[in-house]
Amino acid sequence: MRSRRWDPAVAMANVQEFGEHGGVNPDICDSSTYTFLEPDGMERTFLGQQPGCYLYSRHYNPTCAYLGRLLAAMEDLEDCVVTASGMAAITCALVQLVDPGDEIVASRCIYGGTHTLLERVFPQKFGVSVRFVAPTCLEDFERAITPRTRVFYVETLSNPLLEVAPLDELAALAHRHGIKLMVDNTFAPLLVTPAHHGADVVVHSLTKFINGMSDTIGGAILGSREFIGSLRDLHQGTAMLFGPTMDGLRAASIAKNLRTLHLRIPQHAKNAHYLAERLQESGVPVVYPGLPQYPQRKLLAKLGNTKKYGCGGMLTVDLGSKQMADKLLRALQMQRVGYLAVSLGFYRTLFSAPAASTSSEVDKEEQQSMGLRPGLTRFSVGLDPDIQLSWERFCEAAHEVGFVLRR
Ligand code: PLP
């Protein structure tokens, strides 16, 4: 039984491995291929009769496997395969789970790239139909189930609207019907451990908080040993055959950054909370999961370790119109509050207007039905050493463009 004091960062810290010469960081495996002493060893490995032998780095690279062990410890799942991007992780995991004619029920409020993949590519290229429903509405998920439904797909904290998926209830519903629950936990690493709430498969974009440096793209798929083994299968595994491989050098650098995630996440949250409170006092429509007005505060507290890790580094602000969003975001960048850039989880603040950027692939009607307005802006709050100064700069930028803050 899991200890009541289980903590994802402690679980990760317990992964203590050494380099070949006793180095405190495991050695980087800088090879694409591996030698065999005997030709029949190679043949047996290809036939799957000789487990544990390294073959080729698209199949298995020891440094990528080390990063995978850290992530598996963090998410309390048996195994992990890391990929070259979050989209590669999502695509490979989903294709592995479905066959032509199957169906997926997905939350409507998800990252624009995933939404488009599910709306267009899966039906048109793979013959898999997808029904989109409200992430918080269990009845909608239940109504959408058919005998061909194989997967429920949700984000823990949705991009960009920050809606929390009721994971326990979704998992119970899914499992009653033999359906797998797949959760994208990109917005809530450490904060929520989806496997503790019934998730069968967890995916991440490592590009974001986990790496935290905005210097690379990366992804991960986590699940049972059996499922991750199936992804690596030489004859049927999407992680082997689609070739979404991460490079070993990159895996080593992400693994080192991951080791400080437990320090970064509370600081992102503390700064985001501060800005959210100032915005709220100034009469600006702000959504932040730590504010008392946030409708799903209790659900997030039930799912996540908000006491230790805070309520995340993301917030949204409705600036009323795209014109105002464009003006203010430009001014914020000039004032050095952060960068006008997509992505999130960076040590500096990043901001963008999703309707015209990260969710622009989603058609306008669908944007409207998910509540994504043109003036909505998304902030990934950084590790600012002086968040009060950042707020003063925010106020200066607002003043410059005539965006009224009630003082
Ligand atoms: N999942 C979420 C929630 C995201 O926000 C993103 C990208 O923004 C992705 C997945 C895709 O990740 P990547 O850009 O690493 O492919």
Side-chain angles (χ1 to χ4, degrees):
M1 204 175 127
R2 199 186 316 125
S3 141
R4 279 180 58 226
R5 289 190 56 216
W6 187 90
D7 178 281
V10 176
M12 220 172 0
N14 286 338
V15 179
Q16 181 158 313
E17 301 188 12
F18 303 92
E20 196 186 346
H21 308 286
V24 293
N25 285 303
D27 289 354
I28 298 174
C29 180
D30 194 20
S31 290
S32 58
T33 191
Y34 304 83
T35 56
F36 285 85
L37 291 176
E38 301 294 341
D40 72 327
M42 184 183 278
E43 194 177 343
R44 279 205 307 279
T45 303
F46 266 95
L47 290 171
Q49 295 165 354
Q50 188 162 283
C53 268
Y54 298 129
L55 189 66
Y56 187 58
S57 276
R58 174 156 49 79
H59 178 241
Y60 197 92
N61 171 288
T63 313
C64 293
Y66 164 64
L67 173 59
R69 285 192 289 281
L70 288 177
L71 291 164
M74 178 182 92
E75 288 296 12
D76 211 10
L77 280 161
E78 286 176 352
D79 204 353
C80 169
V81 62
V82 294
T83 55
S85 70
M87 286 311 294
I90 294 164
T91 306
C92 289
L94 281 173
V95 173
Q96 198 71 30
L97 289 169
V98 293
D99 290 318
D102 284 347
E103 296 180 7
I104 296 170
V105 182
S107 155
R108 166 170 290 132
C109 298
I110 49 176
Y111 164 58
T114 315
H115 194 287
T116 305
L117 175 78
L118 289 173
E119 189 189 17
R120 311 228 172 111
V121 181
F122 268 77
Q124 288 165 21
K125 302 280 186 195
F126 303 132
V128 173
S129 60
V130 181
R131 292 162 191 239
F132 289 100
V133 296
T136 52
C137 186
L138 278 173
E139 293 76 36
D140 283 3
F141 272 89
E142 188 153 21
R143 265 195 298 271
I145 295 174
T146 75
R148 295 304 302 259
T149 307
R150 297 287 173 266
V151 184
F152 278 180
Y153 184 91
V154 295
E155 292 175 355
T156 318
L157 252 182
S158 73
N159 181 1
L161 294 169
L162 305 178
E163 293 190 77
V164 185
L167 297 182
D168 292 286
E169 291 77 6
L170 283 172
L173 176 63
H175 296 160
R176 272 206 303 279
H177 293 268
I179 295 166
K180 299 276 187 226
L181 175 63
M182 179 164 159
V183 178
D184 180 337
N185 201 29
T186 300
F187 272 37
L190 298 185
L191 176 56
V192 179
T193 306
H196 294 182
H197 303 281
D200 301 287
V201 177
V202 174
V203 286
H204 275 282
S205 166
L206 304 180
T207 316
K208 314 294 168 20
F209 288 101
I210 286 183
N211 185 52
M213 303 296 146
S214 288
D215 58 0
T216 189
I217 304 283
I221 311 169
L222 300 112
S224 67
R225 202 162 286 120
E226 188 192 354
F227 179 62
I228 301 300
S230 76
L231 290 165
R232 287 202 185 101
D233 186 89
L234 293 178
H235 306 284
Q236 298 202 21
T238 50
M240 174 63 186
L241 298 170
F242 283 1
T245 323
M246 176 180 281
D247 185 72
L249 290 172
R250 236 353 149 179
S253 105
I254 296 173
K256 280 176 282 198
N257 293 335
L258 178 56
R259 293 292 195 172
T260 59
L261 186 65
H262 63 292
L263 301 176
R264 292 186 275 117
I265 291 288
Q267 186 63 25
H268 282 293
K270 202 168 143 214
N271 283 349
H273 205 134
Y274 179 88
L275 284 187
E277 280 178 341
R278 298 296 79 72
L279 287 159
Q280 171 93 29
E281 286 164 10
S282 308
V284 179
V286 54
V287 172
Y288 178 66
L291 290 176
Q293 297 77 0
Y294 179 72
Q296 293 176 294
R297 203 161 178 235
K298 273 202 186 127
L299 175 60
L300 184 62
K302 186 187 111 190
L303 288 177
N305 193 348
T306 51
K307 282 203 180 92
K308 181 158 185 187
Y309 293 111
C311 293
M314 304 298 297
L315 58 87
T316 65
V317 180
D318 194 345
L319 295 172
S321 69
K322 181 176 181 308
Q323 289 74 8
M324 180 49 84
D326 287 347
K327 276 198 288 189
L328 183 62
L329 297 188
R330 187 173 177 280
L332 289 172
Q333 179 161 256
M334 297 302 282
Q335 282 288 343
R336 287 170 292 146
V337 172
Y339 295 108
L340 171 55
V342 296
S343 202
L344 50 123
F346 188 36
Y347 51 78
R348 295 276 291 141
T349 297
L350 301 178
F351 34 79
S352 56
S357 59
T358 47
S359 295
S360 58
E361 306 96 325
V362 179
D363 69 44
K364 295 288 169 246
E365 224 172 277
E366 182 76 341
Q367 284 191 9
Q368 227 168 21
S369 61
M370 65 168 83
L372 178 52
R373 287 176 296 279
L376 190 99
T377 53
R378 184 187 77 181
F379 287 75
S380 165
V381 181
L383 304 173
D384 309 21
D386 185 347
I387 194 67
Q388 283 175 342
L389 176 64
S390 304
W391 172 242
E392 284 164 24
R393 290 175 174 178
F394 191 107
C395 296
E396 197 58 43
H399 178 73
E400 272 171 22
V401 300
F403 182 73
V404 181
L405 296 171
R406 201 176 62 213
R407 300 282 185 120

